[in-house]
Amino acid sequence: MKISLKKGFLLSLASLTLLGIVQQTTAQTKPETAPSADQMLEPQALKLLKTMSETLAAARSMTFTSITTYESPSLIGPPLVYTTISEVTLERPNKLRVITPGDGPANEFYYNGKSITAYSPAENLVATSEAPSTIDAALKMAYDSAAIYFPFTDVVVENPYKDIAEGLKMAFVIGQSQVIGGTKTDMIGLVNDKIFAQVWIGADDKLPRMIRAVYRDDPSRLRHQVEFKDWQLNGAIAADTFAPSKTQGASSIPFARPEPKPSPSPTDKP
């Protein structure tokens, strides 16, 4: 399918600031021997992460706004920055709506426990498919069948802690901020084999406020960031929220991944 919900990153991240903090901390407390993997996982950092995850998992419903910023190389070298905004509505265990009005192509995503619908208003194209019965499985199906991926996936899955903590090599407390999200947040750093990540967690409400990431195998160290705002937990959600209302008259197309199909081998028969 040509409808493309912009692929983001996920829980990745570590900013240059984070790297600087890592280096500074290392210089100040240089151990005589390399710490083991267990020693790199600070209990307080894991506690903050787990509390945030439990708060999200316990919410019967949630709405929030996600602002995603990501860098992409320009022709002359320095990266360009692109931003998208998404309005997210979730009702556990099996309903999710993501409205992305811009920047970039606008798109809408609906999951109602039985089917997935993706709609592109500009092209007036719609794709609908039967779906599994959980949000986690539906998100996996959306990615497998159409490369649909949301950078805030770790926030809406059934067990955020399991998804984020799996494979962690480092977790450490950085300190507190009074700036991000207009509230006091606890900052933690997370590292696995793929990403450096810095996460800001509300000190009072335990909700994620920002995630900033750099992929470790990216030589350009491009930065990816997701901000969260307008959090509402356990509010009433209208029954028709998870059904598309503008797709009547839209051209129906099947879900398909955007990657080009491989060229046929010369030995392939026509």
Side-chain angles (χ1 to χ4, degrees), residues 128-139:
T128 300
S129 175
E130 292 184 358
S133 59
T134 67
I135 292 172
D136 290 22
L139 289 172

Side-chain angles (χ1 to χ4, degrees), residues 110-122:
Y110 300 87
Y111 167 60
N112 62 9
K114 297 180 180 178
S115 64
I116 288 175
T117 298
Y119 174 55
S120 178

Side-chain angles (χ1 to χ4, degrees), residues 231-252:
W231 279 105
Q232 295 289 333
L233 300 186
N234 299 316
I237 306 293
D240 60 355
T241 297
F242 304 98
S245 60
K246 306 174 185 176
T247 57
Q248 188 173 9
S251 298
S252 180

Side-chain angles (χ1 to χ4, degrees), residues 10-268:
L10 182 7
L11 185 281
S12 13
L13 350 317
S15 64
L16 295 178
T17 301
L18 171 59
L19 295 176
I21 290 172
V22 173
Q23 293 165 354
Q24 181 180 13
T25 303
T26 303
Q28 292 173 346
T29 60
K30 184 177 180 179
E32 294 182 356
T33 58
S36 68
D38 290 342
Q39 290 174 308
M40 295 179 184
L41 298 173
E42 293 183 3
Q44 181 59 22
L46 295 179
K47 180 180 180 181
L48 289 168
L49 180 61
K50 192 169 187 177
T51 302
M52 178 195 79
S53 301
E54 290 174 345
T55 301
L56 294 168
R60 173 175 46 82
S61 65
M62 66 175 70
T63 62
F64 63 87
T65 299
S66 164
I67 303 172
T68 301
T69 304
Y70 58 97
E71 296 179 334
S72 182
S74 69
L75 292 177
I76 59 174
L80 301 172
V81 176
Y82 297 90
T83 303
T84 63
I85 186 169
S86 297
E87 305 291 343
V88 184
T89 305
L90 176 146
E91 189 173 83
R92 299 197 187 280
N94 58 2
K95 294 181 175 62
L96 176 66
R97 186 185 74 175
V98 181
I99 305 297
T100 304
D103 294 338
N107 51 69
E108 302 179 5
F109 176 91
Y110 300 87
Y111 167 60
N112 62 9
K114 297 180 180 178
S115 64
I116 288 175
T117 298
Y119 174 55
S120 178
E123 297 84 1
N124 201 27
L125 297 175
V126 62
T128 300
S129 175
E130 292 184 358
S133 59
T134 67
I135 292 172
D136 290 22
L139 289 172
K140 183 178 186 305
M141 177 193 151
Y143 179 74
D144 290 344
S145 63
I148 294 173
Y149 179 78
F150 301 113
F152 47 81
T153 293
D154 283 348
V155 169
V156 301
V157 295
E158 181 180 6
N159 188 341
Y161 183 80
K162 178 178 179 296
D163 274 26
I164 298 171
E166 191 171 270
L168 274 183
K169 301 296 184 182
M170 297 181 67
F172 52 92
V173 176
I174 299 170
Q176 287 191 325
S177 169
Q178 305 286 342
V179 176
I180 302 301
T183 186
K184 181 169 68 176
T185 55
D186 293 307
M187 295 182 289
I188 61 174
L190 304 173
V191 183
N192 62 26
D193 288 338
K194 296 181 179 178
I195 60 174
F196 294 98
Q198 186 171 354
V199 184
W200 287 257
I201 302 171
D204 297 322
D205 60 19
K206 312 304 181 187
L207 292 170
R209 296 293 180 175
M210 190 161 76
I211 302 172
R212 189 174 172 89
V214 171
Y215 290 98
R216 299 183 66 181
D217 61 357
D218 177 9
S220 299
R221 291 291 188 257
L222 299 175
R223 284 159 289 190
H224 309 256
Q225 179 173 299
V226 180
E227 297 178 60
F228 302 94
K229 66 177 187 178
D230 303 330
W231 279 105
Q232 295 289 333
L233 300 186
N234 299 316
I237 306 293
D240 60 355
T241 297
F242 304 98
S245 60
K246 306 174 185 176
T247 57
Q248 188 173 9
S251 298
S252 180
I253 60 174
F255 280 102
R257 294 183 65 87
E259 297 93 342
K261 295 182 179 179
S263 302
S265 167
T267 59
D268 291 344

